[in-house]
Amino acid sequence: MRVPTLAPAYVGGVQLIAYATRRLLGDRARQDLLRSCSTNVDNLAAGRYSTLATSALLVESPMELPYALLLLAVLGYAEYAHGAWWAAGVFLFGHAGATLLVYGALRAGRPSAATRSALDVGTSYGFYAVLGALTSALPRGPVRGCARLGLLALAARPLLRPGRTFTDAGHFTALGLGLGVSAAVDYRSVRNR
């Protein structure tokens, strides 16, 4: 039996970094750190692609307990069911893929200065991707299809309201990438039968 170790280490590490930076750094230094690690348009346009990794290790403030537990449960189950490399790979694929797709869309438009330099750090893109990918673990047929449609509807809802942000588009994109992984898992399991 596989015991998840990467998921608790990641979630605990993100929380520890959030608490440590809040306690040890002043507000100004903390904001500077977050901005330097952010995957915003300004950083990516300047070629700072290392932010694709650093942004997944930082959050603007410590995660609320319900979200931290949900993140731990989703990542932990992915690690248990498919292994640490699979879980980490899907997380990073969703995080980096959604970030770069949203960045490309923003670059094609004319984002405001506030959008170009916005803080864009956190775990949510990877979370959405892993959640989408895990739909392949549900029973085939209506249950799996309804779960996929339900997740897409929930992720699309913020895009339909006024005041939507690029982060809303990123969540939808990351979920779509995760559902693509899920479809690939389905296809592979059908071929192996």
Side-chain angles (χ1 to χ4, degrees), residues 9 14 25 33 57 60 67 71-72 83 123 126 140 167 171 184 186:
V14 169
L25 300 176
L33 173 67
L57 299 172
E60 290 184 50
Y67 176 73
L71 178 64
L72 179 62
T123 62
R140 290 185 186 281
T167 304
H171 292 156
D186 289 353

Side-chain angles (χ1 to χ4, degrees), residues 161-183:
R161 66 178 164 83
R164 62 190 168 271
T165 66
F166 68 87
T167 304
D168 297 328
H171 292 156
F172 185 79
T173 304
L175 179 64
L177 292 172
L179 290 172
V181 170
S182 178

Side-chain angles (χ1 to χ4, degrees), residues 23-42:
R23 183 166 175 87
L24 301 174
L25 300 176
D27 287 341
R28 173 85 176 176
R30 190 167 186 284
Q31 285 298 312
D32 289 345
L33 173 67
L34 291 172
R35 289 211 182 284
S36 70
C37 295
S38 176
T39 51
N40 60 34
V41 173
D42 287 342

Side-chain angles (χ1 to χ4, degrees), residues 69-120:
L69 291 174
L70 183 60
L71 178 64
L72 179 62
V74 168
L75 296 181
Y77 182 74
E79 185 179 351
Y80 169 77
H82 298 286
W85 285 107
W86 188 90
V90 172
F91 184 94
L92 292 173
F93 172 65
H95 176 75
T99 297
L100 292 173
L101 288 168
V102 169
Y103 164 69
L106 287 172
R107 284 285 306 253
R110 293 179 184 239
S112 67
T115 297
R116 291 183 62 83
S117 63
L119 281 181
D120 190 20

Side-chain angles (χ1 to χ4, degrees), residues 136-160:
S136 64
L138 296 170
R140 290 185 186 281
V143 170
R144 191 179 298 179
C146 287
R148 288 173 174 164
L149 287 174
L151 287 173
L152 281 171
L154 286 173
R157 188 167 183 245
L159 293 173
L160 303 175

